[in-house]
Amino acid sequence: MSNLSHTPSHAITLNQANLDSLPKDVKVPQYDRSKLSAGIVHIGVGGFHRAHQAMYVDQLLQSPGSEQWGICGIGLLEANRGLADILKQQDYLYSLVVRHPDGKIENQIIGSMIDFLFAPNDKQSVIDKLANPETKVVSLTITEGGYNFNPATGEFDLTNPDIIHDLANIDTPITTFGFLTAALKARMENGIAPFTVQSCDNIQHNGVVTKQMLLAFIEQYDAKLYEWVDKKVSFPNAMVDRITPVTTDTDMQYLANTVGIIDQWPITCESFTQWVIEDDFCNGRPNWDQAGAQFVSDVTPYEKMKIRLLNAGHSVLGLLGSLHGFNTIDESVTDPLFAQYLREFMDAEVTPLLDTLDGIDLTDYKDTLIERFSNPNIKDSLARICLESSAKLPKFIIETVHENLAKNPSSPKIELATIVLAAWCYYSDKQVDKQGKPLDISDQMAETLHQFASKTAKDKLAFLRITDLFGDLANQTSFTQVYQKAIDAIYDESLSIKSIMQTALNSKG
Ligand code: CS2
């Protein structure tokens, strides 16, 4: 985060010593932070973790009896250095600015994080922390791409140079899998019960996937540890949800100028929040249900609903909105045509694939999504939504297309999703919107995406030949017929994105 240009004289710097002097309408921790210990170690302290899990823990800590469930954050990436410094200066406190759709704002200080370890500075201390018997739950928000699987086959990628490094140097690892393995090995050898690994990323069956990936790593490393982890470690699946835009200078200025707090990295989020977790913990767990989370025996239908409607809906608005020239989700969804397109995509192409859920009305759920996306106080940038699309779209949208093709091979319901995939091709190829304005693209696979997409003029199916993302879609005629039509329309510079969307909706009657 950058620094504040002008610091108002009345504003108070956020740290433990100043907590009692903060403005009275700001909610501050009502518990004694010095009594907490870190039963939870969290890898990947991005905005989402700070708006979601850390907030649930903060809520739980407000009532006595949960002191063992403080959080120690871990940053594995060099990019986390700035965050490590800021959190330390602020005694690991930060502000959460909750913005309701009607303009109401609630400001609170989250106190559940009590330490942060920056791995590049000292890997051993991270391994020791994870191996410490006090650590009962290790949670992860390492993004969809962090799980290191091939999106089409689901196989763990053993060719990743960082994984190769970690298998050869388990005492000085780089990846999440290396650190977890080193720590679990130490626990097994020292007779310490294992921790639960709790994934908080947007992957269906995130617990199952985490277990498969970790075991694929350990299989290459140590047979005895493999067996121990397979039998003893639990990996509960979970559905996580709270829209958390990227923090901007405006957020910091709002806190300093309007609220009176100098916070170098505040977090802003929507008021809605949801966390549904499978109750499968091998070494105790916090009573997150007392803080509003739900424990269930099977989270699968919740995960699928959320990823295929909310996350996919974001990507639909993100890619089409970017090509149209919009900047934020609320700007896109308040355009009636975009809202209609999103709704039709959800109703016709996704909903028929979803299971029914006790107590959840899918029509209400979709209405709520449109309301949440329309929140004018959450300026969620399309650049954030389109960030790492190569890790997201296979799970969010391409799986839906595959399922529709399998369900109804002669007339699959795939047209609206296919236009989004064709838009992604144009986006990766031209890297500008339909008016020629450069797009802010950030994707680990950006080069490959560009390379394949830029052959579209010669071979309309070129982009689909990235089989790691699209599987066999290039060979399925019922898909390629629709896709070629979508490519023709998107690449026709005389057609606007909106006219293409309108035509697609009209053809549905
Ligand atoms: C977004 C998510 O990154 C994305 O594409 O869809 O970050 C989304 O905002 C969260 O999953 C909301 O819970």
Side-chain angles (χ1 to χ4, degrees), residues 202 240-243 306 310-311 314 384-385 392 396:
N202 291 312
V240 294
D241 193 5
R242 185 168 227 186
I243 294 172
K306 193 259 170 166
L310 186 151
N311 297 111
H314 261 166
R384 179 187 86 83
I385 296 302
K392 294 174 178 175
F396 297 177

Side-chain angles (χ1 to χ4, degrees), residues 200-227:
C200 298
D201 283 293
N202 291 312
I203 296 174
Q204 225 182 306
H205 316 309
N206 52 14
V208 173
V209 169
T210 309
K211 178 171 187 176
Q212 279 167 357
M213 297 308 118
L214 182 61
L215 284 178
F217 179 90
I218 298 178
E219 192 175 21
Q220 303 296 315
Y221 174 67
D222 181 332
K224 196 165 152 225
L225 183 63
Y226 179 98
E227 202 180 312

